[in-house]
Each structure stands twice: as structure tokens, then as C-alpha cells.
Amino acid sequence: MTGAAFLHGLVTAALVIAVVCLAVRFLLPVVLHLLVEPVRSCVSLAAALFLLPEYWGSRSRRRVGDVPIPFAYTYGDGIAHLAGLGDRSVVLLFRSLARAAAKAPPLAVAGVTAVWELSTLF
């Protein structure tokens, strides 16, 4: 390895470490805050999809003049409860990760990045 190649590798590694430190410190918290609402919408969509069988069953029983089975209400309440837990979990997780990323020590991020760079050499 020549001196120029070593210097080029060292400068490249320093630039990668600097970019990763800046991205983790400033960009990642913003991205995580922006992702909260879309992920909450996905949780709501999943809950709605899980409620479809109960809705179809209840609707078909009402069409023939019967009442829905009692389990349908229990199932719907359970899905609604799980959707609420999922919603609160997403908010808590993403906001906690954003706060942690904003407070991440630059030396720790640089160390992880340097180890990653070294592991890709071999």
C-alpha cells in the first residue's frame, strides 16, 4: 500500500465518519419525527383490516334479521385495545429513538462507524 492510497483511505474514512455523525445527530431525529404519523396510520389500517371479518359477519347476521354473536363485540374491543397499544407504542418508540439519536455521543457514533468501515475492508 502506497502512501497516497493510505492517505486517500484515511481521508475517505474521516469523511464517512463525519457524515454519519452529522446524519445521526441532526437528520435521524427529524426523520423519526416525520415517520411517527405514517406508521400510526399503518397501525390503524392494520386494525381496520383485522376488524373486517367481524364486520362482515355482523353485517350478514343483521341482513337476515338476527343480532351479531356476542363474541363479535369482544373481538372488536380486543382489536381496538391492541390498536391503541400499538399506536401509543409507535409514538413512544419513535420519539424515544429521536431523543436518543439527538443525544448520541459523537465519539460513540464515530467508533461504531470506524469499526464498520474496518470490517468492510476484510
Side-chain angles (χ1 to χ4, degrees):
M1 180 181 256
T2 65
F6 177 75
L7 184 61
H8 175 69
L10 190 62
V11 169
T12 302
L15 283 175
V16 167
I17 289 171
V19 168
V20 169
C21 283
L22 289 172
V24 167
R25 187 83 168 198
F26 299 108
L27 184 64
L28 187 59
V30 172
V31 170
L32 287 171
H33 276 294
L34 290 175
L35 283 176
V36 168
E37 290 306 317
V39 174
R40 287 177 75 188
S41 297
C42 289
V43 169
S44 297
L45 178 65
L49 290 175
F50 280 117
L51 283 174
L52 275 178
E54 180 265 335
Y55 169 73
W56 289 330
S58 298
R59 187 171 172 219
S60 66
R61 287 184 61 101
R62 283 191 183 110
R63 276 189 179 167
V64 296
D66 204 1
V67 295
I69 58 174
F71 177 71
Y73 297 109
T74 306
Y75 177 78
D77 289 343
I79 294 296
H81 183 70
L82 287 175
L85 285 175
D87 183 68
R88 287 191 299 273
S89 299
V90 164
V91 171
L92 179 67
L93 175 70
F94 278 58
R95 289 188 180 157
S96 297
L97 287 174
R99 277 194 304 271
K103 293 179 182 178
L107 286 178
V109 176
V112 170
T113 307
V115 168
W116 178 265
E117 283 290 313
L118 287 175
S119 70
T120 58
L121 292 177
F122 301 108

